[in-house]
C-alpha cells in the first residue's frame, strides 16, 4: 500500500474475506429462519386438533429450541458482538444505538428460551392450557427474531460493507469461518448434527 493506509474495498467490489463473512452470516440467518418457520408450522398444525401431551410430540420442539440455544445464541450472536459489531464501532459511532439494541436482544435470547421451555414442560407434564402459553411466546419470539435479522441485514451489514477495512473483514471471516455452515458442516460438529436431525423430522405439513 503506497500511502500506508489499509485497503478499503468498495461494496461493488468486495474483498474475498468480506464476501466470505457476509455469505456465512446470511447462511446462518437463513438456517435460523428455517428452524423458526418449522417451529411455527408445528404449532399451527397442532392447533387444528385436540391438544394434549398424547397428541403432540414435544421432542422435536425441544430439539429445535436446543438448536437455537446451541447455534444462534452461543455461537453466532457472540461472534457478531465481538467481531462485526466491535469493528463497526471502531470505524464509526453512527450506528452505536442500533448496535446497542441488537446486542441487548442477543442477551435476551436465553430468557426467551427458558420461558418457552417452562411452558412446554407444563404442557408435557399434563396441563394442556400451557400449550397456548407456549404458542404465544413462540409467535412473539419469532416476530422479534425476524425483525432482529432484518435490522442486521438492512442496516448493519450495509454499514459494515461501507465502513470496515479489509483487515476487519479478515477477522470477521476468520471468526465465522470457524463455525462452518451450520447446515453443511462436518457431521461431528454439534450444530450440523442438530440441523441434520431437524431436517429429517417427520413433522405435520
Amino acid at each position: 500500500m503506497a500511502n500506508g493506509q489499509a485497503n478499503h474495498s468498495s461494496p461493488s467490489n468486495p474483498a474475498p474475506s468480506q464476501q466470505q463473512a457476509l455469505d456465512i452470516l446470511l447462511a446462518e440467518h437463513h438456517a435460523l429462519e428455517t428452524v423458526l418457520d418449522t417451529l411455527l408450522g408445528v404449532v399451527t398444525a397442532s392447533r387444528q386438533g385436540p391438544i394434549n401431551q398424547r397428541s403432540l410430540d414435544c421432542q422435536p420442539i425441544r430439539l429445535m429450541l436446543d438448536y437455537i440455544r446451541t447455534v444462534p445464541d452461543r455461537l453466532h450472536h457472540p461472534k457478531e458482538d465481538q467481531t462485526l459489531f466491535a469493528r463497526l464501532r471502531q470505524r464509526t459511532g453512527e450506528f452505536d444505538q442500533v448496535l446497542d439494541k441488537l446486542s441487548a436482544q442477543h442477551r435476551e435470547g436465553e430468557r426467551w428460551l427458558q420461558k418457552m421451555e417452562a411452558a412446554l414442560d407444563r404442557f408435557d407434564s399434563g396441563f394442556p392450557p400451557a400449550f397456548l402459553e407456549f404458542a404465544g411466546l413462540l409467535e412473539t419470539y419469532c416476530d422479534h427474531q425476524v425483525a432482529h435479522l432484518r435490522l442486521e441485514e438492512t442496516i448493519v451489514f450495509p454499514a459494515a460493507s461501507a465502513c470496515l477495512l479489509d483487515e476487519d473483514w479478515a477477522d470477521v471471516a476468520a471468526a465465522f469461518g470457524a463455525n462452518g455452515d451450520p447446515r453443511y458442516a462436518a457431521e461431528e460438529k454439534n450444530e450440523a448434527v442438530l440441523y441434520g436431525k431437524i431436517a429429517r423430522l417427520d413433522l405435520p405439513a
Side-chain angles (χ1 to χ4, degrees):
M1 292 170 287
N3 60 6
Q5 299 295 318
N7 286 334
H8 191 162
S9 300
S10 68
S12 61
N13 185 29
S17 57
Q18 176 182 341
Q19 192 62 59
Q20 177 190 3
L22 290 172
D23 285 348
I24 296 172
L25 284 159
L26 290 170
E28 293 184 356
H29 280 196
H30 176 72
L32 173 58
E33 287 197 75
T34 298
V35 172
L36 295 178
D37 286 344
T38 305
L39 273 168
L40 288 172
V42 172
V43 169
T44 300
S46 298
R47 280 175 162 168
Q48 296 173 0
I51 303 172
N52 56 56
Q53 64 270 33
R54 291 181 299 279
S55 65
L56 176 64
D57 182 3
C58 292
Q59 185 54 34
I61 295 175
R62 296 186 192 283
L63 181 65
M64 288 183 274
L65 295 178
D66 190 33
Y67 175 88
I68 294 170
R69 173 177 283 117
T70 302
V71 183
D73 280 359
R74 293 182 179 171
L75 198 62
H76 178 88
H77 292 155
K79 289 186 178 183
E80 282 186 327
D81 290 331
Q82 295 160 13
T83 59
L84 181 67
F85 292 5
R87 289 290 183 160
L88 186 55
R89 289 179 191 276
Q90 289 175 356
R91 301 304 174 195
T92 177
E94 182 179 353
F95 303 97
D96 283 357
Q97 187 172 357
V98 173
L99 297 176
D100 289 344
K101 177 181 178 179
L102 292 168
S103 291
Q105 291 172 348
H106 288 170
R107 293 191 295 271
E108 292 171 358
E110 180 61 26
R111 180 178 64 86
W112 274 101
L113 288 171
Q114 289 176 358
K115 289 170 66 175
M116 288 188 285
E117 288 170 338
L120 192 64
D121 286 344
R122 289 195 295 276
F123 166 78
D124 206 19
S125 296
F127 185 61
F131 179 82
L132 295 178
E133 179 188 356
F134 168 77
L137 288 167
L138 175 65
E139 289 164 354
T140 302
Y141 174 80
C142 289
D143 286 344
H144 288 174
Q145 285 297 302
V146 170
H148 177 96
L149 297 177
R150 294 294 88 79
L151 187 58
E152 290 181 340
E153 292 168 6
T154 61
I155 301 296
V156 176
F157 293 0
S161 295
C163 299
L164 265 57
L165 307 182
D166 288 357
E167 63 197 54
D168 302 325
W169 284 116
D171 285 346
V172 176
F176 279 90
N179 294 359
D181 188 315
R183 297 169 297 173
Y184 306 120
E187 274 301 305
E188 67 269 15
K189 297 189 72 172
N190 192 33
E191 60 269 25
V193 172
L194 279 170
Y195 196 94
K197 288 180 179 179
I198 293 167
R200 292 189 294 270
L201 289 174
D202 183 16
L203 298 172

